[in-house]
């Protein structure tokens, strides 16, 4: 026998026993998007490498070391999308969706990052991304946070998530802050690790993001960006806070929250949990007003977030209850030639009458005993039985697979009425 080929490390199959919980989460996400007037956009998984370099920034973890980049047969450099913001904006600019109009959009799908695989950190993972274009005020920032809170509420996981917010100011404010920060860290450069020393030259704000515990103290004492904000950035941030207070959203202002990507400005936020160990960020986003121009569009504004669906699903309370909900209601058993001939017709007419019915038909024959075994394994609540007697009398027998009790024989119309009570 030849050797079996295995999936790529960090890229996981989602097997049929887990897909129902995914479908459940996806259906809640879709419904909530509709409730706020957001529309779905479907985007390619592969884009030109240049798009990510230009948007995410050359000196970020993603671009420096996490992208799946390859040359296609024409020699063009392409990359599997590590996130969706860049592609979404590229599509909107390409199709003129930002011409004198606002957009509220969402997408869902696989993202790819070459990271060290561990719990809740994979090389292929799924995100829901939500983006709003052309709206400048803090009201839309607040809307996105409220929308995300509704997701947690509707999924029953809101008690496990905490909101952190910060403002990164405008590019000019960040540059002024950057100078202060560089001066501060230069004064302590003997305490920095190698990564941070490199970032001091390339992207000093990222030092604040460092996960190295040895740096915690010096980072804690570093100057704070919020103190550099000018009047209009301060007002933007304060109005956002007022809106959140008004809506009863609890949050903590975390002045060290800088986000890993280059393109953010003003509002940034993260929903974090203690329940998933080290990978505590479930949802992260913010405002990225400069990105549209950076990608060749006319000056406009944008704000959005992305959430990691694997982490979301890991937070569900008793996810197995969603998997059970996908089991068939009924399993149709047929033994004997007459019965087998009749089975497909009976099954089809039940499906005609009851479109919501999940009915699994036995295929491949077998004795009553072996068909009952399969019926039980399918998770169905009842077995529908067609034997010679039923075929002769035009009836169907019903037996519960989950409760004690005998078998009852029903006409087809009685059966339809009975199955309707199971839906
Ligand atoms: P982290 O700090 O965990 O590396 P990040 O800042 O790189 O996160 P974003 O680019 O903001 O993450 O992505 C948004 C969300 O997508 C994250 O909060 C997380 O839930 C999810 N996510 C990111 N990378 C991965 C991954 N490799 N595997 C699973 N989920 C991920
Ligand atoms: Mg990351």
């Amino acid at each position: 026998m030849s050797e079996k080929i295995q999936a790529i490390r960090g890229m996981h199959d989602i097997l049929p026993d887990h897909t129902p919980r995914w479908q459940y989460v996806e259906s809640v996400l879709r419904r909530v998007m509709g409730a706020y007037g957001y529309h779905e956009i479907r985007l390619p998984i592969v884009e030109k490498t240049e798009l990510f370099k230009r948007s995410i920034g050359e000196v970020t973890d993603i671009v420096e070391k996490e992208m799946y980049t390859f040359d296609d047969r024409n020699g063009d450099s392409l990359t599997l999308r590590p996130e969706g913001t860049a592609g979404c904006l590229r599509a909107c600019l390409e199709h003129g969706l930002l011409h004198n109009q606002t957009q509220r959009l969402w997408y869902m799908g696989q993202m790819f990052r070459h990271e060290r695989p561990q719990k809740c950190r994979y090389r292929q993972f799924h995100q829901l991304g939500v983006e709003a274009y052309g709206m400048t005020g803090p009201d839309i920032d607040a809307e996105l946070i409220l929308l995300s809170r509704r997701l947690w509420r509707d999924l029953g996981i809101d008690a496990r998530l905490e909101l952190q917010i910060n403002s990164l100011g405008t590019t000019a404010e960040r540059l002024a802050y950057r100078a202060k920060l560089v001066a501060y860290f230069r004064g302590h450069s003997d305490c920095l690790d190698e990564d941070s020393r490199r970032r001091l030259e390339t992207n000093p704000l990222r030092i604040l993001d460092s996960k190295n515990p040895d740096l915690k103290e010096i980072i804690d004492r570093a100057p704070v960006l919020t103190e550099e904000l000018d009047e209009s950035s301060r007002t933007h941030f304060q109005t956002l806070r007022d809106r959140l207070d008004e809506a009863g959203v609890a949050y903590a202002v975390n002045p060290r929250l800088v986000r890993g990507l280059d393109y953010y400005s003003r509002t940034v936020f993260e929903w974090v949990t203690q329940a998933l160990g080290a990978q505590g960020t479930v949802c992260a986003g913010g405002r990225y007003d400069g990105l549209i121009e950076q990608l060749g569009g006319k000056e406009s504004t944008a704000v959005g977030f992305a959430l990691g669906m694997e982490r979301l699903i890991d937070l569900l309370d008793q996810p197995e209850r969603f998997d059970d909900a996908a089991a068939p209601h009924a399993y149709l058993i047929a033994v004997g030639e007459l019965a087998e001939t009749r089975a497909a017709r009976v099954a089809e007419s039940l499906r005609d009458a009851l479109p919501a019915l999940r009915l699994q038909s036995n295929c491949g024959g077998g004795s009553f005993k072996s068909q009952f075994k399969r019926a039980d394994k399918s998770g169905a609540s009842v077995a529908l039985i067609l034997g010679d007697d039923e075929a002769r009398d035009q009836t169907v027998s019903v037996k519960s697979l989950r409760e004690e009790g005998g078998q009852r024989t029903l006409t087809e119309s009685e059966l339809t009425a009975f199955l309707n009570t199971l839906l």
Side-chain angles (χ1 to χ4, degrees):
M1 223 161 55
S2 45
E3 207 179 311
K4 279 193 195 129
I5 298 175
Q6 307 228 315
I8 296 165
R9 202 160 99 86
M11 303 203 181
H12 296 282
D13 303 305
I14 302 174
L15 298 178
D17 60 344
H18 274 90
T19 47
R21 61 183 73 174
W22 280 81
Q23 290 168 355
Y24 163 73
V25 167
E26 287 159 6
S27 72
V28 172
L29 301 182
R30 284 204 172 86
R31 177 172 52 70
V32 173
M33 291 309 127
Y36 286 78
Y38 285 68
H39 298 283
E40 184 182 11
I41 182 166
R42 299 195 181 194
L43 303 159
I45 283 178
V46 185
E47 298 272 1
K48 291 188 179 152
T49 303
E50 181 60 22
L51 175 70
F52 301 115
K53 285 199 173 161
R54 231 204 279 173
S55 58
I56 298 170
E58 296 264 9
V59 277
T60 54
D61 281 352
I62 292 184
V63 172
E64 277 183 339
K65 49 191 188 204
E66 295 176 358
M67 294 206 301
Y68 278 93
T69 296
F70 60 96
D71 288 342
D72 81 353
R73 287 173 194 272
N74 308 327
D76 297 329
S77 179
L78 306 182
T79 294
L80 299 185
R81 61 182 187 192
E83 51 102 62
T85 294
C88 187
L89 203 44
R90 193 263 318 134
C92 288
L93 291 172
E94 191 168 331
H95 300 287
L97 301 190
L98 306 183
H99 262 310
N100 303 322
Q101 54 187 323
T102 61
Q103 292 287 346
R104 286 176 161 90
L105 302 171
W106 65 270
Y107 47 82
M108 215 186 293
Q110 286 94 334
M111 305 294 159
F112 303 84
R113 297 185 194 178
H114 195 276
E115 307 199 62
R116 195 167 67 79
Q118 51 197 293
K119 181 174 150 44
C120 296
R121 190 177 286 291
Y122 311 105
R123 291 183 172 173
Q124 175 183 271
F125 61 99
H126 297 74
Q127 281 184 343
L128 166 78
V130 183
E131 318 278 358
Y133 300 129
M135 286 161 276
T136 310
D139 48 357
I140 185 71
D141 305 11
E143 175 176 287
L144 284 173
I145 290 174
L146 291 174
L147 182 158
S148 53
R149 178 180 66 163
R150 189 172 297 279
L151 294 175
W152 323 142
R153 284 188 170 175
D154 288 5
L155 291 166
I157 56 173
D158 47 321
R160 298 187 192 154
L161 286 161
E162 285 160 33
L163 175 64
Q164 298 190 350
I165 62 172
N166 190 24
S167 175
L168 298 183
T170 60
T171 313
E173 288 153 17
R174 251 193 338 274
L175 277 178
Y177 173 65
R178 186 189 152 122
K180 272 200 173 171
L181 200 63
V182 169
Y184 169 79
F185 281 126
R186 284 239 166 86
H188 296 81
S189 68
D190 44 334
C191 311
L192 295 179
D193 59 10
E194 197 190 318
D195 244 6
S196 304
R197 254 182 236 129
R198 193 168 44 86
R199 283 175 177 159
L200 193 55
E201 307 305 324
T202 54
N203 192 350
L205 262 69
R206 291 293 316 286
I207 300 175
L208 302 176
D209 220 13
S210 167
K211 305 213 161 84
N212 182 351
D214 297 342
L215 296 187
K216 187 170 179 316
E217 205 188 309
I218 153 169
I219 288 174
D220 281 346
R221 290 202 315 258
V224 173
L225 205 165
T226 11
E227 281 160 19
E228 305 298 319
L229 301 185
D230 72 9
E231 191 57 31
S232 82
S233 287
R234 271 172 207 261
T235 309
H236 188 106
F237 195 45
Q238 189 53 50
T239 312
L240 170 67
R241 295 183 58 174
D242 292 345
R243 295 285 157 88
L244 296 179
D245 292 337
E246 182 71 26
V249 181
Y251 58 83
V253 175
N254 174 1
R256 304 294 170 212
L257 185 66
V258 292
R259 307 286 308 117
L261 316 182
D262 263 1
Y263 50 52
Y264 288 102
S265 54
R266 291 199 166 152
T267 310
V268 287
F269 64 91
E270 286 192 0
W271 287 93
V272 296
T273 182
Q274 307 295 328
L276 297 178
Q279 311 327 322
T281 306
V282 174
C283 171
R287 182 164 275 284
Y288 48 97
D289 290 342
L291 185 58
I292 299 183
E293 266 186 292
Q294 221 169 298
L295 291 181
K298 264 211 325 232
E299 190 185 345
S300 184
T301 61
V303 52
F305 70 75
L307 68 83
M309 293 181 58
E310 282 79 3
R311 294 184 195 178
L312 196 61
I313 285 173
D314 275 354
L315 281 182
L316 289 179
D317 197 26
Q318 296 179 300
E320 23 342 307
R321 69 201 151 110
F322 305 109
D323 303 335
D324 296 343
H329 299 104
Y331 188 99
L332 180 61
I333 287 172
V335 178
E337 209 181 308
L338 259 183
E340 281 180 35
T341 315
R342 191 178 156 224
R345 189 192 58 70
V346 170
E348 284 308 294
S349 69
L350 288 171
R351 293 186 187 112
D352 286 343
L354 304 169
L357 177 71
R358 292 191 300 275
L359 171 64
Q360 189 170 324
S361 294
N362 187 78
C363 286
S367 64
F368 274 118
K369 192 170 165 210
S370 68
Q371 293 196 35
F372 262 109
K373 256 196 199 151
R374 285 180 218 153
D376 192 43
K377 198 160 171 242
S378 76
S381 11
V382 296
L384 311 182
I385 305 145
L386 291 181
D388 290 338
D389 295 348
E390 288 87 356
R392 193 191 53 231
D393 303 339
Q394 295 294 303
T395 56
V396 180
S397 295
V398 184
K399 187 170 166 38
S400 172
L401 292 164
R402 309 292 148 210
E403 290 158 22
E404 292 301 315
Q407 191 168 308
R408 290 188 299 149
T409 301
L410 306 175
T411 66
E412 283 187 37
S413 65
E414 286 167 343
L415 176 65
T416 306
F418 165 71
L419 289 174
N420 198 26
T421 66
L422 299 183
L423 306 182

